[in-house]
Amino acid sequence: MINVDNIYKQFGKLQVLKGVSCKIEKGEKVVVIGPSGSGKSTFLRCMNLLEEPTFGEVWLDDKLMTRPDPYLHVELIEKTKTYKKMFDARAGESSDAEALKSQIIKEIKEKDLLNEKREGGEYKKAYKEFYKANAIDINKGRAKMGMVFQHFNLFNNLTVMQNLTLAPVKLKLKTEEEAAADAERLLKRIGLFDKKDVYPSTLSGGQKQRIAIVRALAMDPEVMLFDEPTSALDPEMVGEVLELMKDLAKEGMTMVVVTHEMGFAREVASRILFMDEGVIKEENTPKEFFAAPKDERLKDFLAKVL
Amino acid sequence: MLLDGLKNTAIIAVFGLFIGLIIGSLIAVVKLAPIENLFFKALKFLGDIYVALFRGTPIVVQLLLTHYVLFPLMGINIPPVFEGVITFGMNSGAYISEIMRSGILSVDKGQMEAGRSLGLSYVQTMWKIVLPQAIKNILPTLGNEFIALIKETSVVSFITVIDIYKAFQSIANNTFEYIVPYLMLALVYLILVIIITLIVRAIERRLRASDKR
Ligand SMILES: Nc1ncnc2c1ncn2[C@@H]1O[C@H](COP(=O)(O)OP(=O)(O)O)[C@@H](O)[C@H]1O
Ligand SMILES: [Mg+2]
């Protein structure tokens, strides 16, 4: 469903993600844990392009969300001037053209030799064709991915009901009547139907977060991304939000959850990723993950949080 | 004549503010747009020049240039009141763009992110979510801008518009009675400003009430 292919993210000089790959299948519940500052949020935000990866690609259902990354496609590299020059210069060196080719491609990738502006017309044409054939409109892609933020981010100038209906109606996914009916159903489900006409400022943190979750659900997303959804809540409200997330998981929703709630990870995750220093250091089923961690940093981390 | 003067003052202030709001919002939104292509860089640059020009020169000079140089050169011939509306609108657009910019920046950036994450475009989110909150935040400042605008309109008499100031002035000149007309003039401005202040407060109160319901 989501294929994150070798993404890098730089903020100025700061390297935050350093080659992260992750395939998420339909129905999977992937939990991401790791120390703060390790790049978890950035990783999640790259999935729906709230941050644009510096290198690498993000695919959603065989559709490209990012711009193509030429380093990931041999057929694109082959069309570049850089490749052709290197190949011509070294063609005499070896009789095995195939071996030379893969050697040059490896060097180009490792040394980051491509310069988009100078790779020539043939490359540009191929790049454009590749992009046209595979890209999805970024807003259409995002509409299929729900996102829940640490600080809720409910629209302050809209009522609860309007929060739920704005995007589906504006994006013409539903008529106003359909959107209102779905919103009612969702609000009833979380027991907050009586709040439909109030503004977010009057709600408790737990209520806000549950409404933020159903606001995302109102788009009928294929996958839900959660970025520490309970970290900003008072302890007594954490439970109600986790319960809702567990219900979603049981219904088969595909989920990617960044969290510090180890109980939730153990219970719900089909797979846990340990992110540290901008890479995924370890990846395993919850059982193995907690029982037999291999990475040293993970062992330290688990010792601290458990 | 008094009524005509009052009417002209009101027309210039109200429509000037309206045009200013549109121009100001457009410039602010363009300046803050996270788009880095050449077209937008050019637009942002033009916005900077616009603001610098209109803030860097006195409104009287802008009026005189519009009336005696610019419009005649372009062959535009409209009543001076509308020249006043346009000049004041463009002038306050420059000031409002800066107010609007700080208003937009005062809105939590999570609001834009939430909108974008649902698949709404930048413009949709800006229009439906961010701008309404920005305007609410800057309403008191906008009120001040409007009050300043009303008082500044007195300079339109330079381009032959009879506004409230000019009306009282000619009464004074014709009757050789200065004290009463000019005191009256001050009183009229004062009343206008008080009315605006009350309106702004009422709008603020309504917006705040919608928060707490
Ligand atoms: N927009 C940004 N600009 C600059 N630096 C950022 C930005 N977002 C995140 N960072 C930096 O990237 C690093 C990783 O951040 P983040 O992905 O939020 O980590 P985590 O969610 O694991 O705590 C941090 O050092 C943070 O300061
Ligand atoms: Mg984070």
Side-chain angles (χ1 to χ4, degrees), chain A residues 42-97:
Chain A
T42 307
F43 169 56
L44 207 61
R45 292 159 59 82
C46 279
M47 284 191 195
N48 68 356
L49 272 278
L50 281 186
E51 302 291 354
E52 190 180 5
T54 318
F55 293 109
E57 292 174 352
V58 176
W59 292 75
L60 173 69
D61 300 328
D62 306 319
K63 285 289 171 197
L64 187 59
M65 290 281 287
T66 50
R67 301 186 320 140
D69 179 352
Y71 290 106
L72 295 175
H73 304 283
V74 171
E75 71 272 22
L76 287 181
I77 297 184
E78 278 175 331
K79 300 225 159 57
T80 62
K81 275 190 181 161
T82 306
Y83 171 82
K84 286 179 194 155
K85 259 193 213 151
M86 286 171 77
F87 193 88
D88 289 345
R90 283 151 63 175
E93 279 175 29
S94 118
S95 53
D96 187 349

Coordinates of all heavy atoms in Angstrom, one line a residue, chain A residues 42-97:
Chain A
T42 N 9.5 13.1 11.2 CA 9.9 13.4 9.8 C 9.6 12.3 8.8 O 9.1 12.5 7.7 CB 11.4 13.8 9.8 OG1 11.6 14.8 10.7 CG2 11.8 14.3 8.4
F43 N 9.8 11.1 9.3 CA 9.5 9.9 8.5 C 8.0 9.8 8.2 O 7.6 9.6 7.0 CB 10.0 8.6 9.3 CG 9.5 7.3 8.8 CD1 9.8 6.9 7.5 CD2 8.8 6.5 9.6 CE1 9.4 5.7 7.0 CE2 8.4 5.2 9.2 CZ 8.7 4.8 7.9
L44 N 7.2 10.0 9.2 CA 5.8 9.9 9.0 C 5.3 11.1 8.1 O 4.5 10.9 7.2 CB 5.1 10.1 10.3 CG 3.7 9.4 10.5 CD1 3.8 8.0 10.3 CD2 3.2 9.7 11.9
R45 N 5.9 12.3 8.3 CA 5.4 13.4 7.5 C 5.9 13.3 6.0 O 5.4 13.9 5.1 CB 5.9 14.7 8.1 CG 5.2 15.0 9.5 CD 6.0 15.9 10.3 NE 6.3 17.2 9.7 CZ 5.4 18.2 9.7 NH1 4.2 18.0 10.3 NH2 5.7 19.3 9.1
C46 N 7.0 12.6 5.8 CA 7.4 12.3 4.4 C 6.5 11.4 3.7 O 6.3 11.5 2.5 CB 8.8 11.7 4.4 SG 10.2 12.9 4.6
M47 N 5.8 10.6 4.4 CA 4.8 9.6 3.8 C 3.7 10.4 3.1 O 3.3 10.0 2.0 CB 4.2 8.7 4.8 CG 5.2 7.6 5.2 SD 4.2 6.4 6.1 CE 5.6 5.5 6.9
N48 N 3.2 11.5 3.7 CA 2.2 12.2 3.0 C 2.7 13.5 2.5 O 1.9 14.5 2.2 CB 0.9 12.4 3.8 CG 1.1 13.3 5.0 OD1 2.2 13.7 5.3 ND2 0.0 13.5 5.8
L49 N 4.0 13.6 2.4 CA 4.6 14.8 1.7 C 4.4 16.1 2.5 O 4.4 17.2 1.9 CB 4.1 14.9 0.3 CG 4.9 14.2 -0.8 CD1 6.1 15.0 -1.2 CD2 5.3 12.8 -0.4
L50 N 4.1 16.0 3.8 CA 4.1 17.3 4.5 C 5.5 17.8 4.5 O 5.8 19.0 4.6 CB 3.6 17.1 5.9 CG 2.1 17.1 6.1 CD1 1.7 17.0 7.6 CD2 1.4 18.3 5.4
E51 N 6.5 16.8 4.5 CA 7.9 17.2 4.2 C 8.2 16.5 2.9 O 7.8 15.3 2.7 CB 8.8 16.6 5.3 CG 8.5 17.1 6.7 CD 8.8 18.6 6.9 OE1 9.3 19.3 6.0 OE2 8.4 19.1 8.0
E52 N 9.0 17.2 2.1 CA 9.4 16.6 0.8 C 10.8 15.9 1.0 O 11.7 16.6 1.4 CB 9.4 17.6 -0.3 CG 9.6 16.9 -1.6 CD 9.7 17.9 -2.8 OE1 9.7 19.1 -2.5 OE2 9.8 17.4 -3.9
P53 N 10.9 14.6 0.8 CA 12.2 14.0 1.0 C 13.2 14.6 0.0 O 12.9 15.0 -1.1 CB 11.9 12.5 0.6 CG 10.5 12.3 0.7 CD 9.8 13.7 0.4
T54 N 14.4 14.7 0.5 CA 15.5 15.2 -0.3 C 15.9 14.2 -1.4 O 16.1 14.6 -2.6 CB 16.8 15.5 0.6 OG1 16.3 16.1 1.8 CG2 17.7 16.4 -0.2
F55 N 16.0 12.9 -1.0 CA 16.1 11.9 -2.0 C 15.1 10.8 -1.7 O 14.6 10.7 -0.6 CB 17.5 11.2 -1.9 CG 18.6 12.2 -2.4 CD1 19.5 12.7 -1.4 CD2 18.8 12.5 -3.7 CE1 20.5 13.5 -1.8 CE2 19.8 13.3 -4.1 CZ 20.7 13.8 -3.1
G56 N 15.0 9.9 -2.6 CA 14.1 8.7 -2.4 C 12.7 9.0 -2.8 O 12.3 10.1 -3.2
E57 N 11.9 7.9 -2.8 CA 10.6 8.0 -3.3 C 9.6 7.4 -2.3 O 9.9 6.6 -1.5 CB 10.4 7.2 -4.6 CG 11.2 7.8 -5.8 CD 11.2 6.9 -7.0 OE1 10.7 5.8 -7.0 OE2 11.7 7.4 -8.1
V58 N 8.3 8.0 -2.4 CA 7.2 7.4 -1.6 C 6.1 7.0 -2.6 O 5.7 7.8 -3.4 CB 6.7 8.4 -0.6 CG1 5.5 7.8 0.1 CG2 7.7 8.8 0.4
W59 N 5.7 5.8 -2.5 CA 4.7 5.3 -3.4 C 3.4 4.9 -2.6 O 3.5 4.4 -1.5 CB 5.2 4.0 -4.2 CG 6.3 4.2 -5.1 CD1 7.6 4.5 -4.8 CD2 6.2 4.3 -6.6 NE1 8.3 4.7 -6.0 CE2 7.5 4.6 -7.1 CE3 5.1 4.1 -7.5 CZ2 7.7 4.7 -8.4 CZ3 5.4 4.3 -8.8 CH2 6.7 4.5 -9.3
L60 N 2.3 5.3 -3.2 CA 1.0 4.9 -2.6 C 0.2 4.1 -3.6 O -0.1 4.7 -4.7 CB 0.3 6.2 -2.2 CG -1.1 6.0 -1.7 CD1 -1.2 5.3 -0.3 CD2 -1.9 7.4 -1.6
D61 N 0.0 2.9 -3.4 CA -0.7 2.0 -4.3 C -0.2 2.2 -5.7 O -0.9 2.5 -6.6 CB -2.2 2.4 -4.4 CG -2.9 2.3 -3.0 OD1 -2.5 1.4 -2.3 OD2 -3.8 3.0 -2.7
D62 N 1.1 1.9 -5.9 CA 1.6 2.0 -7.3 C 1.6 3.4 -7.9 O 1.7 3.5 -9.1 CB 1.0 1.0 -8.2 CG 1.0 -0.4 -7.7 OD1 2.0 -0.8 -7.2 OD2 -0.1 -1.1 -7.8
K63 N 1.4 4.4 -7.1 CA 1.4 5.7 -7.6 C 2.5 6.5 -6.8 O 2.6 6.4 -5.6 CB 0.1 6.4 -7.4 CG -1.0 6.0 -8.4 CD -0.7 6.5 -9.8 CE -1.6 5.9 -10.8 NZ -1.0 6.1 -12.2
L64 N 3.2 7.3 -7.6 CA 4.3 8.0 -7.0 C 3.9 9.3 -6.4 O 3.3 10.2 -7.0 CB 5.3 8.3 -8.1 CG 6.7 8.9 -7.7 CD1 7.4 8.0 -6.8 CD2 7.5 9.2 -9.0
M65 N 4.2 9.5 -5.1 CA 3.8 10.7 -4.4 C 4.9 11.8 -4.5 O 4.6 13.0 -4.6 CB 3.6 10.5 -2.9 CG 2.4 9.6 -2.5 SD 0.9 10.6 -2.5 CE 1.1 11.6 -1.0
T66 N 6.2 11.4 -4.4 CA 7.3 12.3 -4.5 C 7.6 12.5 -6.0 O 7.0 12.0 -6.9 CB 8.5 11.7 -3.9 OG1 8.7 10.4 -4.4 CG2 8.4 11.7 -2.4
R67 N 8.6 13.3 -6.2 CA 9.2 13.4 -7.6 C 10.0 12.2 -7.8 O 10.5 11.6 -6.8 CB 10.0 14.7 -7.7 CG 9.2 15.9 -7.5 CD 10.0 17.2 -7.7 NE 11.4 17.1 -7.3 CZ 12.4 17.6 -7.9 NH1 12.2 18.2 -9.1 NH2 13.6 17.5 -7.5
P68 N 10.2 11.7 -9.0 CA 11.1 10.5 -9.2 C 12.5 10.8 -8.7 O 13.0 11.9 -8.8 CB 11.1 10.3 -10.7 CG 9.9 11.1 -11.2 CD 9.7 12.3 -10.3
D69 N 13.1 9.8 -8.2 CA 14.5 9.9 -7.7 C 15.3 9.1 -8.7 O 15.3 7.8 -8.8 CB 14.6 9.3 -6.3 CG 16.1 9.3 -5.9 OD1 17.0 9.7 -6.7 OD2 16.3 9.0 -4.7
P70 N 16.1 9.8 -9.6 CA 16.8 9.1 -10.7 C 17.7 8.0 -10.2 O 17.9 7.0 -10.8 CB 17.5 10.2 -11.4 CG 17.5 11.4 -10.5 CD 16.3 11.2 -9.7
Y71 N 18.3 8.2 -9.0 CA 19.2 7.2 -8.4 C 18.5 5.8 -8.2 O 19.2 4.8 -8.1 CB 19.8 7.7 -7.1 CG 20.7 8.8 -7.3 CD1 20.3 10.1 -6.9 CD2 22.0 8.6 -7.8 CE1 21.2 11.2 -7.0 CE2 22.9 9.7 -7.9 CZ 22.5 11.0 -7.6 OH 23.3 12.0 -7.7
L72 N 17.2 5.8 -8.2 CA 16.5 4.5 -7.9 C 16.2 3.8 -9.2 O 15.6 2.7 -9.2 CB 15.3 4.8 -7.1 CG 15.5 5.3 -5.7 CD1 14.2 5.6 -5.0 CD2 16.3 4.3 -4.8
H73 N 16.5 4.4 -10.4 CA 16.0 3.8 -11.6 C 17.2 3.8 -12.6 O 17.5 4.8 -13.2 CB 14.9 4.7 -12.2 CG 13.7 4.8 -11.2 ND1 12.8 3.8 -11.0 CD2 13.3 5.8 -10.4 CE1 11.9 4.1 -10.1 NE2 12.2 5.4 -9.7
V74 N 17.7 2.6 -12.8 CA 18.8 2.4 -13.7 C 18.4 2.9 -15.1 O 19.2 3.6 -15.8 CB 19.1 0.9 -13.8 CG1 20.1 0.6 -15.0 CG2 19.7 0.4 -12.5
E75 N 17.2 2.7 -15.5 CA 16.8 3.2 -16.9 C 16.9 4.7 -17.0 O 17.1 5.2 -18.1 CB 15.4 2.6 -17.3 CG 14.2 3.2 -16.6 CD 13.9 2.5 -15.3 OE1 14.8 1.8 -14.7 OE2 12.8 2.6 -14.8
L76 N 16.7 5.4 -15.9 CA 16.9 6.8 -16.0 C 18.4 7.2 -15.9 O 18.8 8.1 -16.7 CB 16.2 7.5 -14.8 CG 14.6 7.6 -14.9 CD1 14.1 8.3 -13.7 CD2 14.2 8.2 -16.2
I77 N 19.1 6.6 -15.1 CA 20.6 6.9 -15.0 C 21.2 6.7 -16.4 O 22.0 7.5 -16.8 CB 21.3 6.0 -13.9 CG1 20.7 6.3 -12.6 CG2 22.8 6.2 -14.0 CD1 21.4 5.5 -11.4
E78 N 20.8 5.6 -17.0 CA 21.5 5.3 -18.3 C 21.3 6.4 -19.4 O 22.1 6.5 -20.3 CB 20.9 4.0 -18.9 CG 21.4 2.8 -18.3 CD 20.7 1.6 -18.9 OE1 19.5 1.7 -19.2 OE2 21.3 0.5 -18.9
K79 N 20.3 7.2 -19.2 CA 20.0 8.3 -20.2 C 20.8 9.6 -19.8 O 20.7 10.6 -20.6 CB 18.5 8.5 -20.2 CG 17.7 7.3 -20.6 CD 16.7 7.7 -21.7 CE 16.2 6.5 -22.5 NZ 15.6 5.4 -21.8
T80 N 21.4 9.6 -18.7 CA 22.1 10.9 -18.3 C 23.4 11.0 -19.0 O 24.1 10.1 -19.4 CB 22.4 10.9 -16.8 OG1 23.3 9.8 -16.5 CG2 21.1 10.7 -16.0
K81 N 23.8 12.3 -19.2 CA 25.1 12.6 -19.8 C 26.2 12.1 -19.0 O 27.2 11.6 -19.5 CB 25.2 14.1 -20.0 CG 24.6 14.7 -21.2 CD 25.0 16.1 -21.4 CE 24.4 16.7 -22.7 NZ 24.4 18.1 -22.7
T82 N 26.1 12.2 -17.6 CA 27.1 11.8 -16.7 C 27.4 10.3 -17.0 O 28.6 9.9 -17.1 CB 26.6 12.0 -15.3 OG1 26.2 13.3 -15.1 CG2 27.7 11.6 -14.3
Y83 N 26.4 9.5 -17.1 CA 26.6 8.1 -17.3 C 27.3 7.8 -18.6 O 28.3 7.1 -18.7 CB 25.3 7.3 -17.2 CG 25.4 5.9 -17.6 CD1 25.8 4.9 -16.8 CD2 25.1 5.5 -19.0 CE1 25.9 3.6 -17.2 CE2 25.2 4.2 -19.4 CZ 25.6 3.2 -18.5 OH 25.7 1.9 -18.9
K84 N 26.8 8.5 -19.6 CA 27.3 8.2 -21.0 C 28.8 8.6 -21.1 O 29.6 7.9 -21.6 CB 26.5 9.0 -22.0 CG 25.1 8.4 -22.3 CD 24.4 9.2 -23.3 CE 22.9 8.8 -23.3 NZ 22.1 9.8 -23.8
K85 N 29.1 9.7 -20.5 CA 30.5 10.2 -20.5 C 31.4 9.2 -19.8 O 32.5 8.8 -20.3 CB 30.6 11.5 -19.8 CG 30.7 12.7 -20.7 CD 31.2 13.9 -19.9 CE 30.5 15.2 -20.5 NZ 30.3 16.2 -19.5
M86 N 31.0 8.7 -18.6 CA 31.8 7.8 -17.9 C 31.9 6.5 -18.6 O 33.0 5.8 -18.7 CB 31.2 7.5 -16.5 CG 31.3 8.7 -15.5 SD 30.4 8.5 -14.0 CE 31.4 7.3 -13.1
F87 N 30.8 6.1 -19.3 CA 30.8 4.8 -20.0 C 31.8 4.9 -21.2 O 32.6 4.0 -21.4 CB 29.4 4.4 -20.4 CG 29.3 3.0 -20.9 CD1 29.0 2.0 -20.0 CD2 29.5 2.7 -22.3 CE1 28.9 0.7 -20.4 CE2 29.4 1.4 -22.7 CZ 29.1 0.4 -21.8
D88 N 31.7 6.0 -21.9 CA 32.6 6.1 -23.1 C 34.0 6.2 -22.7 O 34.9 5.6 -23.3 CB 32.2 7.4 -23.9 CG 30.9 7.2 -24.6 OD1 30.4 6.1 -24.7 OD2 30.3 8.3 -25.0
A89 N 34.3 6.9 -21.6 CA 35.7 7.0 -21.2 C 36.3 5.7 -20.8 O 37.5 5.5 -20.9 CB 35.8 8.1 -20.1
R90 N 35.5 4.8 -20.3 CA 36.0 3.6 -19.7 C 35.7 2.4 -20.5 O 36.0 1.2 -20.1 CB 35.6 3.5 -18.3 CG 36.4 4.4 -17.4 CD 35.6 4.8 -16.1 NE 35.3 3.7 -15.3 CZ 34.7 3.9 -14.1 NH1 34.4 5.1 -13.6 NH2 34.4 2.8 -13.4
A91 N 35.1 2.5 -21.7 CA 34.7 1.4 -22.4 C 35.8 0.5 -22.8 O 35.7 -0.7 -22.9 CB 33.9 1.8 -23.7
G92 N 37.0 1.1 -23.0 CA 38.2 0.3 -23.4 C 38.7 -0.6 -22.2 O 39.3 -1.6 -22.4
E93 N 38.4 -0.1 -21.0 CA 39.0 -0.8 -19.8 C 38.6 -2.2 -19.7 O 39.4 -3.1 -19.3 CB 38.5 -0.1 -18.5 CG 39.3 1.2 -18.2 CD 38.7 1.9 -17.0 OE1 38.1 1.2 -16.1 OE2 38.8 3.1 -16.9
S94 N 37.3 -2.5 -20.0 CA 36.9 -3.8 -19.8 C 36.1 -4.4 -20.9 O 35.5 -3.6 -21.7 CB 36.0 -3.8 -18.5 OG 34.7 -4.2 -18.8
S95 N 36.1 -5.7 -21.1 CA 35.4 -6.2 -22.2 C 33.9 -6.6 -21.8 O 33.1 -6.8 -22.6 CB 36.1 -7.5 -22.7 OG 36.3 -8.4 -21.6
D96 N 33.7 -6.6 -20.5 CA 32.4 -7.0 -20.0 C 31.6 -5.7 -19.8 O 31.6 -5.1 -18.8 CB 32.6 -7.7 -18.7 CG 31.3 -8.3 -18.2 OD1 30.2 -7.9 -18.8 OD2 31.3 -9.1 -17.2
A97 N 30.8 -5.4 -20.8 CA 30.0 -4.2 -20.8 C 29.0 -4.1 -19.6 O 28.8 -3.1 -19.0 CB 29.2 -4.0 -22.1

